[in-house]
Amino acid sequence: MFFYDIGMANQQANADTQEVISGRFEVKERLSGGGLSRLYRALDRETNAPVVIKVLDPEQRSGSNEEWPRRLLRFRREARILERLSTCPQVVNFVAADTTCALPWIAMDFLSGRTLR
């Protein structure tokens, strides 16, 4: 259960206890985390294609963090920009997003290969 460590509120569990986001994205593993977000590899049930789910880190929301509204606005802007740039071949494809739920997320194509680091 990948999202239990971050309190994913909008999850549904199927018979295999696999986490599913919005009835569409089956979470497989956590890829990385740090900064303002966490990345998870998932399977898009509609296309059977691998995707990456970027989740705004809920720890940024805890306590008396006055920065949360600003970070949430930035995350929403990132989703809109990514969606608009999806036709650009140099940018990863936008798949879906929900930036109004309790734990905002963006889904994009999974790109295999080497890290850029």
Side-chain angles (χ1 to χ4, degrees), residues 19-66:
E19 292 174 272
V20 178
I21 298 173
S22 294
R24 178 176 175 183
F25 302 104
E26 194 174 301
V27 177
K28 299 296 186 182
E29 69 178 315
R30 183 173 174 177
L31 296 173
S32 68
L36 302 177
S37 60
R38 296 180 184 182
L39 300 177
Y40 297 86
R41 185 178 63 83
L43 177 70
D44 184 343
R45 290 178 165 181
E46 288 183 11
T47 64
N48 207 33
V51 295
V52 169
I53 306 290
K54 182 175 185 177
V55 179
L56 191 57
D57 190 341
E59 291 178 10
Q60 301 294 326
R61 186 179 205 162
S62 62
S64 61
N65 191 342
E66 306 88 36

Side-chain angles (χ1 to χ4, degrees), residues 1-4 6-14 18-27 40 45 53-56 58 61 75 96-107:
M1 301 311 244
F2 302 102
F3 287 108
Y4 282 100
I6 58 173
M8 192 67 167
N10 64 341
Q11 295 308 298
Q12 306 165 359
N14 68 17
Q18 188 70 45
E19 292 174 272
V20 178
I21 298 173
S22 294
R24 178 176 175 183
F25 302 104
E26 194 174 301
V27 177
Y40 297 86
R45 290 178 165 181
I53 306 290
K54 182 175 185 177
V55 179
L56 191 57
R61 186 179 205 162
F75 194 79
D98 186 348
T99 59
T100 61
C101 63
L103 197 54
W105 57 270
I106 302 170

